[in-house]
Amino acid sequence: MSLDGDQANIVHIDLKEVKGNTNQAFEEDESLQRRSSNLSESSDTAKFKKPYFTVAVNCDTSDQATVGHEAGPYAGMSKDVLIRYSSQLRYKLPREIIFWLIVAATFALVACTITIIALSPKCLDWWQASPIYQIYPRSFKDSDGNGVGDLNGIAEKLDYFVDLNIKAIWLSPVYKSPMKDFGYDVEDFEEIDPIFGTMEEFDNLLENVHNRGLKLIMDFIPNHTSNKHRWFQLSRNRTEKYTDYYVWVDCKHEMNKTTNPNNWVSLFGHSAWQFDEIRGQCYLHQFLKEQPDLNYRNVDVQEEIKNVLRFWLKKGVDGFRVDAIKYLLEAESLRNEPQVNLTQNPNNITSYDELYHDYTATQVGLHDIVRSWKHLLKEFSSEPGRYRFLMTESYDNEDIYKTMMYYGTPIQQEADFPFNFYLIDLYKEMSGNGVFKIVDYWMRNMPSGKWPNWVVGNHDNSRIASRVDANYTNVINMLLLTLLGTPTTYYGEELGMENIIVPEEDIQDPFGKFDPTANRDPQRSPMQWDSSANAGFSTANTTWLNVHPNYATVNVEVEMKQQNSTLTLYRELSFLRQNELPIHRGWMCYIWNDTDVFAYVREQDGLDTVFLVVLNFGNDSTTNLASNVPYLPKEANVRLSTDINNNGNKVQTASVITSAGEGLVLEYRTNNPFHNKAEFKDRCFISEKACYLGTFDILYKNC
């Protein structure tokens, strides 16, 4: 090979490392030597075997060559070359840095996740996040034209609840029953009464409910059964374990006259004891004589009831409302109950209200039974998103501490909440002060950390529009949906439905037949869907109860189209409650109450948005909140009003004008909330404190 003068050319040759040389010299590959004789000296296009290394030979006039620097790694390098380069510091160090950065980031992510979980407040469950809507099945929707509502009728109307943003519906009893008390006398806890449909239709309803993201709560009647129930028939015949399934007591029965064991009185009036000819003893019935009380001092009875719960839980029912729970146990002593009027002749006592019920209600051991049910429901709540809910019904009037006991203790939970019926009595003092007293009465007595609920009507009480005044329906619904806690709405109250008039000869209600003044039929009239015959409830010629005459203007179809209707307002309030965190789960602080107005704010730690709710339960009023209440801004925006014309307006807090029955949800911004003020410490309530961190859009507990 020849080189021209001083020209330096780069020649690529295949070399192999000389083994054993400490100076790392290289020699020509043997294969190259064998081929060199066949190569032309002038050829610069010859192709060689792929080199292990590339060296640069600098040819000068003295024919001296020096070895140049090694080139970098190349694609397709062999394993031994790759290993040689990867061990070099300039490649090894970046790898280690990247590795430890990944490890550190992983630990940081895990630590951050654990911290967020540890500091995050408990998410609201489905029974807290939405109103609960009570359906009275006989009156909701008739699908087969027999004049009585049924399960398929309910299934037809499920989209209605989606439109109202209602996530939970509660069914009054649909069990097989002789209907002496319209389903509260159960003949078979595991069958559907034919008047409502079949078990297959119930299963279809439940599936459709869940497919729409809704929850289904069933009425549960554990205190008593029908006298047609298999258990009672076996018990009256003293058949094996069923002998003591009911409360049986010896009593005298001669000449068709019974000498009762004591003075206990049924809620429906007259003696709570009934002589049974077959057994030759008296049995206890705290309701109708066709509704004998179960004996909960018998552990077999307790297990039977648990099996009933299991039956429905396995079907996928989401919870239960427990009826008449305080009557489960009676005093074993059978002692006479004290008279309210000591001068009254004991032989003339026929009404339930004429006695103090010290021995037939809220007895020791009752709460052990409720806790056992809650424990059972927890067994079925392990699946994510399938929490099984329990609420209890107990009218305790001034003995509110008895109602609060159903919340359980910090160690042992019972009901998720007991029904709060106190707002049903708001008609007794219809004023701002009166409503404030009722709300405050519950909140001050409720155990810390528990979740409240509010009921303004049900199947046993007159409708709002008839109990109070139709002009106050909207403001009461606004109260219901803006208070802290879960609202419960009786079907039709979102429309402003009113009681019907039922002549005494047409009374269907068993209680009403005994006492016409206490008839419950008026508030159970058919749901008003549209302006067609029977309000769209049924195609029958006659319905089980008459439809209210105002159905042509007060119905779902009409009110859905009206921007200022009771239904539209209810729907907007429902979405407002869900979408605004302060109303959803924040603080509630009373700031004002007088003869006409009750006002409170809803606040959330970490948010500067505050909602001021001003409700008029009296007469037309102008309230100077700015002067009487510190920390209020001069002006607030009307987010929602019972009068649609006010929506979006600005209100001066020094002069808040409200007419009778008007309600305002005002919105303003501040970093100076009421719940942090010492003077409002006893007027602010929250179930579980949570703070909003806007940077990451999360809630945390430790503010």
Side-chain angles (χ1 to χ4, degrees), residues 244 246-250 261-262 264 273 284 286 294-299 302 327-337 358-365:
D244 295 322
Y246 296 82
V247 182
W248 294 99
V249 176
D250 290 330
N262 56 33
W264 295 358
W273 297 100
L284 177 69
Q286 295 209 58
L294 287 163
N295 176 19
Y296 273 86
R297 300 196 184 279
N298 184 333
V299 294
Q302 294 189 34
Y327 305 108
L328 293 186
L329 289 172
E330 304 80 25
E332 292 181 282
S333 65
L334 302 182
R335 190 176 302 170
N336 280 342
E337 295 196 304
D358 297 343
Y359 307 117
T360 56
T362 319
Q363 299 298 295
V364 174

Short mmCIF file of all heavy atoms in Angstrom, two decimals, residues 244 246-250 261-262 264 273 284 286 294-299 302 327-337 358-365:
data_model
loop_
_atom_site.label_atom_id
_atom_site.label_comp_id
_atom_site.label_asym_id
_atom_site.label_seq_id
_atom_site.Cartn_x
_atom_site.Cartn_y
_atom_site.Cartn_z
N ASP A 244 -93.85 -20.44 71.40
CA ASP A 244 -93.66 -19.14 72.05
C ASP A 244 -93.16 -18.08 71.07
O ASP A 244 -92.42 -17.17 71.46
CB ASP A 244 -92.67 -19.28 73.22
CG ASP A 244 -93.22 -20.17 74.32
OD1 ASP A 244 -94.44 -20.09 74.58
OD2 ASP A 244 -92.44 -20.94 74.91
N TYR A 246 -94.99 -15.87 69.77
CA TYR A 246 -95.79 -14.68 70.03
C TYR A 246 -95.96 -14.52 71.53
O TYR A 246 -95.61 -15.41 72.32
CB TYR A 246 -97.15 -14.77 69.32
CG TYR A 246 -97.00 -14.80 67.81
CD1 TYR A 246 -96.70 -15.99 67.15
CD2 TYR A 246 -97.12 -13.65 67.05
CE1 TYR A 246 -96.52 -16.02 65.77
CE2 TYR A 246 -96.95 -13.67 65.67
CZ TYR A 246 -96.65 -14.86 65.03
OH TYR A 246 -96.47 -14.88 63.67
N VAL A 247 -96.49 -13.37 71.95
CA VAL A 247 -96.64 -13.08 73.38
C VAL A 247 -97.99 -13.62 73.84
O VAL A 247 -99.03 -12.97 73.66
CB VAL A 247 -96.52 -11.57 73.65
CG1 VAL A 247 -96.63 -11.29 75.15
CG2 VAL A 247 -95.20 -11.02 73.09
N TRP A 248 -97.97 -14.80 74.45
CA TRP A 248 -99.19 -15.46 74.93
C TRP A 248 -99.26 -15.35 76.45
O TRP A 248 -98.25 -15.51 77.14
CB TRP A 248 -99.19 -16.93 74.55
CG TRP A 248 -99.27 -17.20 73.08
CD1 TRP A 248 -98.25 -17.51 72.24
CD2 TRP A 248 -100.45 -17.21 72.28
NE1 TRP A 248 -98.71 -17.71 70.96
CE2 TRP A 248 -100.06 -17.53 70.95
CE3 TRP A 248 -101.80 -16.96 72.54
CZ2 TRP A 248 -100.96 -17.62 69.90
CZ3 TRP A 248 -102.72 -17.06 71.49
CH2 TRP A 248 -102.29 -17.39 70.19
N VAL A 249 -100.45 -15.08 76.96
CA VAL A 249 -100.65 -14.93 78.40
C VAL A 249 -102.00 -15.57 78.77
O VAL A 249 -102.98 -15.45 78.02
CB VAL A 249 -100.65 -13.44 78.83
CG1 VAL A 249 -100.96 -13.30 80.31
CG2 VAL A 249 -99.32 -12.78 78.49
N ASP A 250 -102.03 -16.22 79.92
CA ASP A 250 -103.30 -16.76 80.41
C ASP A 250 -104.26 -15.62 80.72
O ASP A 250 -103.86 -14.58 81.26
CB ASP A 250 -103.08 -17.60 81.67
CG ASP A 250 -102.36 -18.91 81.38
OD1 ASP A 250 -102.52 -19.43 80.27
OD2 ASP A 250 -101.62 -19.39 82.27
N PRO A 261 -105.26 -9.40 80.82
CA PRO A 261 -104.17 -9.54 81.80
C PRO A 261 -103.76 -8.23 82.45
O PRO A 261 -103.27 -8.22 83.57
CB PRO A 261 -103.03 -10.12 80.97
CG PRO A 261 -103.68 -10.72 79.77
CD PRO A 261 -104.88 -9.89 79.49
N ASN A 262 -103.91 -7.12 81.75
CA ASN A 262 -103.56 -5.80 82.31
C ASN A 262 -104.27 -4.72 81.50
O ASN A 262 -105.13 -5.02 80.66
CB ASN A 262 -102.04 -5.60 82.33
CG ASN A 262 -101.40 -5.78 80.95
OD1 ASN A 262 -102.00 -5.46 79.93
ND2 ASN A 262 -100.17 -6.28 80.93
N TRP A 264 -103.02 -2.64 79.22
CA TRP A 264 -102.33 -2.19 78.01
C TRP A 264 -103.33 -1.95 76.87
O TRP A 264 -104.27 -2.72 76.67
CB TRP A 264 -101.30 -3.21 77.57
CG TRP A 264 -100.16 -3.37 78.56
CD1 TRP A 264 -99.97 -2.70 79.72
CD2 TRP A 264 -99.09 -4.31 78.45
NE1 TRP A 264 -98.84 -3.13 80.35
CE2 TRP A 264 -98.27 -4.12 79.60
CE3 TRP A 264 -98.72 -5.28 77.53
CZ2 TRP A 264 -97.12 -4.87 79.82
CZ3 TRP A 264 -97.57 -6.02 77.74
CH2 TRP A 264 -96.78 -5.81 78.88
N TRP A 273 -105.00 -6.83 74.09
CA TRP A 273 -105.05 -8.29 74.24
C TRP A 273 -106.24 -8.85 73.49
O TRP A 273 -107.32 -8.25 73.47
CB TRP A 273 -105.15 -8.67 75.72
CG TRP A 273 -103.94 -8.24 76.51
CD1 TRP A 273 -103.83 -7.13 77.30
CD2 TRP A 273 -102.69 -8.91 76.57
NE1 TRP A 273 -102.58 -7.06 77.85
CE2 TRP A 273 -101.84 -8.15 77.42
CE3 TRP A 273 -102.17 -10.07 75.99
CZ2 TRP A 273 -100.54 -8.51 77.70
CZ3 TRP A 273 -100.87 -10.43 76.27
CH2 TRP A 273 -100.06 -9.66 77.11
N LEU A 284 -100.82 -10.70 72.60
CA LEU A 284 -100.62 -9.25 72.58
C LEU A 284 -100.63 -8.74 71.14
O LEU A 284 -100.04 -9.34 70.25
CB LEU A 284 -99.28 -8.90 73.23
CG LEU A 284 -98.88 -7.42 73.23
CD1 LEU A 284 -99.79 -6.61 74.15
CD2 LEU A 284 -97.42 -7.26 73.66
N GLN A 286 -100.14 -4.78 69.70
CA GLN A 286 -100.07 -3.34 69.95
C GLN A 286 -100.66 -2.54 68.80
O GLN A 286 -100.76 -1.31 68.90
CB GLN A 286 -98.62 -2.92 70.21
CG GLN A 286 -98.04 -3.54 71.48
CD GLN A 286 -96.99 -2.67 72.12
OE1 GLN A 286 -97.25 -1.52 72.47
NE2 GLN A 286 -95.80 -3.21 72.28
N LEU A 294 -94.76 -10.30 67.81
CA LEU A 294 -93.77 -11.37 67.96
C LEU A 294 -93.10 -11.28 69.33
O LEU A 294 -93.00 -10.20 69.92
CB LEU A 294 -92.72 -11.27 66.86
CG LEU A 294 -93.18 -11.69 65.47
CD1 LEU A 294 -92.23 -11.18 64.39
CD2 LEU A 294 -93.32 -13.21 65.37
N ASN A 295 -92.63 -12.42 69.81
CA ASN A 295 -91.97 -12.50 71.11
C ASN A 295 -90.45 -12.47 70.92
O ASN A 295 -89.82 -13.50 70.66
CB ASN A 295 -92.38 -13.79 71.83
CG ASN A 295 -91.65 -13.97 73.14
OD1 ASN A 295 -91.11 -13.02 73.70
ND2 ASN A 295 -91.64 -15.20 73.64
N TYR A 296 -89.86 -11.29 71.06
CA TYR A 296 -88.42 -11.15 70.82
C TYR A 296 -87.57 -11.62 71.99
O TYR A 296 -86.33 -11.58 71.90
CB TYR A 296 -88.09 -9.70 70.47
CG TYR A 296 -88.24 -9.44 68.99
CD1 TYR A 296 -89.49 -9.09 68.46
CD2 TYR A 296 -87.18 -9.59 68.12
CE1 TYR A 296 -89.65 -8.89 67.10
CE2 TYR A 296 -87.33 -9.39 66.77
CZ TYR A 296 -88.56 -9.04 66.25
OH TYR A 296 -88.71 -8.85 64.91
N ARG A 297 -88.18 -12.10 73.03
CA ARG A 297 -87.40 -12.73 74.10
C ARG A 297 -87.10 -14.19 73.74
O ARG A 297 -86.39 -14.87 74.46
CB ARG A 297 -88.14 -12.62 75.42
CG ARG A 297 -88.37 -11.16 75.81
CD ARG A 297 -88.75 -10.97 77.25
NE ARG A 297 -89.06 -9.57 77.52
CZ ARG A 297 -88.15 -8.62 77.74
NH1 ARG A 297 -86.86 -8.93 77.72
NH2 ARG A 297 -88.51 -7.38 77.97
N ASN A 298 -87.63 -14.63 72.63
CA ASN A 298 -87.36 -15.96 72.08
C ASN A 298 -86.26 -15.82 71.02
O ASN A 298 -86.44 -15.15 70.01
CB ASN A 298 -88.63 -16.54 71.47
CG ASN A 298 -88.46 -17.96 70.96
OD1 ASN A 298 -87.37 -18.38 70.60
ND2 ASN A 298 -89.56 -18.70 70.92
N VAL A 299 -85.10 -16.44 71.24
CA VAL A 299 -83.97 -16.29 70.32
C VAL A 299 -84.29 -16.86 68.94
O VAL A 299 -83.71 -16.43 67.93
CB VAL A 299 -82.70 -16.94 70.90
CG1 VAL A 299 -82.23 -16.21 72.14
CG2 VAL A 299 -82.93 -18.42 71.20
N GLN A 302 -85.74 -14.10 66.91
CA GLN A 302 -84.70 -13.18 66.45
C GLN A 302 -83.97 -13.75 65.23
O GLN A 302 -83.66 -13.02 64.28
CB GLN A 302 -83.71 -12.90 67.58
CG GLN A 302 -84.32 -12.14 68.75
CD GLN A 302 -83.28 -11.68 69.75
OE1 GLN A 302 -82.15 -11.36 69.40
NE2 GLN A 302 -83.64 -11.66 71.03
N TYR A 327 -91.51 -0.91 69.75
CA TYR A 327 -92.48 -1.83 70.36
C TYR A 327 -92.00 -3.29 70.37
O TYR A 327 -92.76 -4.19 70.74
CB TYR A 327 -93.81 -1.76 69.60
CG TYR A 327 -94.37 -0.36 69.51
CD1 TYR A 327 -94.36 0.34 68.31
CD2 TYR A 327 -94.90 0.27 70.63
CE1 TYR A 327 -94.86 1.63 68.21
CE2 TYR A 327 -95.41 1.57 70.55
CZ TYR A 327 -95.38 2.23 69.34
OH TYR A 327 -95.87 3.51 69.26
N LEU A 328 -90.76 -3.54 69.98
CA LEU A 328 -90.29 -4.93 69.85
C LEU A 328 -90.36 -5.71 71.15
O LEU A 328 -90.66 -6.90 71.15
CB LEU A 328 -88.85 -4.95 69.34
CG LEU A 328 -88.59 -4.47 67.91
CD1 LEU A 328 -87.13 -4.71 67.54
CD2 LEU A 328 -89.50 -5.16 66.92
N LEU A 329 -90.07 -5.06 72.27
CA LEU A 329 -90.03 -5.76 73.56
C LEU A 329 -91.05 -5.15 74.52
O LEU A 329 -91.32 -3.95 74.49
CB LEU A 329 -88.64 -5.67 74.18
CG LEU A 329 -87.52 -6.48 73.50
CD1 LEU A 329 -86.18 -6.12 74.12
CD2 LEU A 329 -87.79 -7.98 73.64
N GLU A 330 -91.57 -6.01 75.40
CA GLU A 330 -92.49 -5.57 76.45
C GLU A 330 -91.96 -6.06 77.79
O GLU A 330 -91.20 -7.03 77.86
CB GLU A 330 -93.91 -6.13 76.22
CG GLU A 330 -94.50 -5.81 74.88
CD GLU A 330 -93.98 -6.73 73.77
OE1 GLU A 330 -93.55 -7.87 74.08
OE2 GLU A 330 -93.96 -6.30 72.61
N ALA A 331 -92.34 -5.40 78.85
CA ALA A 331 -91.90 -5.80 80.19
C ALA A 331 -92.47 -7.18 80.52
O ALA A 331 -93.66 -7.44 80.33
CB ALA A 331 -92.36 -4.78 81.22
N GLU A 332 -91.60 -8.05 81.01
CA GLU A 332 -92.04 -9.41 81.35
C GLU A 332 -92.98 -9.42 82.55
O GLU A 332 -93.74 -10.36 82.75
CB GLU A 332 -90.82 -10.29 81.64
CG GLU A 332 -89.97 -10.55 80.41
CD GLU A 332 -88.77 -11.43 80.72
OE1 GLU A 332 -87.79 -10.92 81.28
OE2 GLU A 332 -88.84 -12.64 80.39
N SER A 333 -92.92 -8.35 83.34
CA SER A 333 -93.77 -8.29 84.54
C SER A 333 -95.24 -8.10 84.20
O SER A 333 -96.11 -8.39 85.03
CB SER A 333 -93.31 -7.12 85.42
OG SER A 333 -93.52 -5.88 84.77
N LEU A 334 -95.54 -7.61 82.97
CA LEU A 334 -96.92 -7.34 82.55
C LEU A 334 -97.61 -6.35 83.48
O LEU A 334 -98.84 -6.37 83.65
CB LEU A 334 -97.74 -8.63 82.46
CG LEU A 334 -97.23 -9.71 81.52
CD1 LEU A 334 -98.18 -10.91 81.52
CD2 LEU A 334 -97.05 -9.19 80.11
N ARG A 335 -96.84 -5.46 84.06
CA ARG A 335 -97.38 -4.48 85.00
C ARG A 335 -98.28 -3.49 84.28
O ARG A 335 -98.04 -3.14 83.11
CB ARG A 335 -96.22 -3.75 85.65
CG ARG A 335 -96.58 -2.85 86.83
CD ARG A 335 -95.32 -2.27 87.44
NE ARG A 335 -94.42 -3.35 87.88
CZ ARG A 335 -93.18 -3.14 88.28
NH1 ARG A 335 -92.67 -1.91 88.27
NH2 ARG A 335 -92.44 -4.14 88.67
N ASN A 336 -99.35 -3.01 84.97
CA ASN A 336 -100.22 -1.99 84.40
C ASN A 336 -99.43 -0.72 84.09
O ASN A 336 -98.52 -0.34 84.85
CB ASN A 336 -101.34 -1.64 85.36
CG ASN A 336 -102.47 -2.65 85.35
OD1 ASN A 336 -102.60 -3.44 84.40
ND2 ASN A 336 -103.28 -2.66 86.38
N GLU A 337 -99.79 -0.08 83.00
CA GLU A 337 -99.12 1.19 82.66
C GLU A 337 -99.82 2.35 83.37
O GLU A 337 -101.05 2.33 83.58
CB GLU A 337 -99.12 1.40 81.15
CG GLU A 337 -98.28 0.33 80.44
CD GLU A 337 -97.90 0.66 79.03
OE1 GLU A 337 -98.81 0.92 78.21
OE2 GLU A 337 -96.70 0.63 78.73
N ASP A 358 -94.72 2.93 79.73
CA ASP A 358 -93.44 2.60 80.36
C ASP A 358 -93.05 1.13 80.18
O ASP A 358 -91.87 0.78 80.32
CB ASP A 358 -93.49 2.90 81.86
CG ASP A 358 -93.69 4.38 82.15
OD1 ASP A 358 -93.46 5.19 81.23
OD2 ASP A 358 -94.06 4.73 83.29
N TYR A 359 -94.02 0.27 79.88
CA TYR A 359 -93.75 -1.17 79.86
C TYR A 359 -93.98 -1.83 78.50
O TYR A 359 -93.81 -3.04 78.37
CB TYR A 359 -94.62 -1.86 80.92
CG TYR A 359 -94.45 -1.24 82.29
CD1 TYR A 359 -95.53 -0.62 82.93
CD2 TYR A 359 -93.22 -1.25 82.92
CE1 TYR A 359 -95.38 -0.03 84.17
CE2 TYR A 359 -93.06 -0.65 84.17
CZ TYR A 359 -94.14 -0.04 84.78
OH TYR A 359 -93.97 0.55 86.01
N THR A 360 -94.35 -1.02 77.52
CA THR A 360 -94.61 -1.59 76.19
C THR A 360 -93.76 -0.95 75.09
O THR A 360 -93.92 -1.29 73.91
CB THR A 360 -96.09 -1.43 75.81
OG1 THR A 360 -96.45 -0.05 75.89
CG2 THR A 360 -96.98 -2.25 76.72
N ALA A 361 -92.88 -0.04 75.45
CA ALA A 361 -92.04 0.62 74.45
C ALA A 361 -90.64 0.87 75.00
O ALA A 361 -90.47 1.12 76.20
CB ALA A 361 -92.67 1.95 74.01
N THR A 362 -89.64 0.79 74.13
CA THR A 362 -88.25 1.12 74.45
C THR A 362 -87.78 0.39 75.70
O THR A 362 -87.30 1.00 76.66
CB THR A 362 -88.07 2.65 74.62
OG1 THR A 362 -88.81 3.34 73.61
CG2 THR A 362 -86.60 3.02 74.48
N GLN A 363 -87.91 -0.91 75.70
CA GLN A 363 -87.49 -1.72 76.85
C GLN A 363 -86.00 -2.09 76.75
O GLN A 363 -85.40 -2.05 75.68
CB GLN A 363 -88.32 -3.00 76.91
CG GLN A 363 -89.81 -2.75 77.08
CD GLN A 363 -90.14 -2.03 78.38
OE1 GLN A 363 -89.94 -2.55 79.46
NE2 GLN A 363 -90.65 -0.80 78.26
N VAL A 364 -85.44 -2.42 77.90
CA VAL A 364 -84.05 -2.85 77.96
C VAL A 364 -83.86 -4.10 77.08
O VAL A 364 -84.66 -5.03 77.14
CB VAL A 364 -83.64 -3.18 79.41
CG1 VAL A 364 -82.23 -3.76 79.45
CG2 VAL A 364 -83.73 -1.92 80.28
N GLY A 365 -82.84 -4.08 76.27
CA GLY A 365 -82.57 -5.18 75.34
C GLY A 365 -82.95 -4.85 73.91
O GLY A 365 -82.51 -5.53 72.97
#
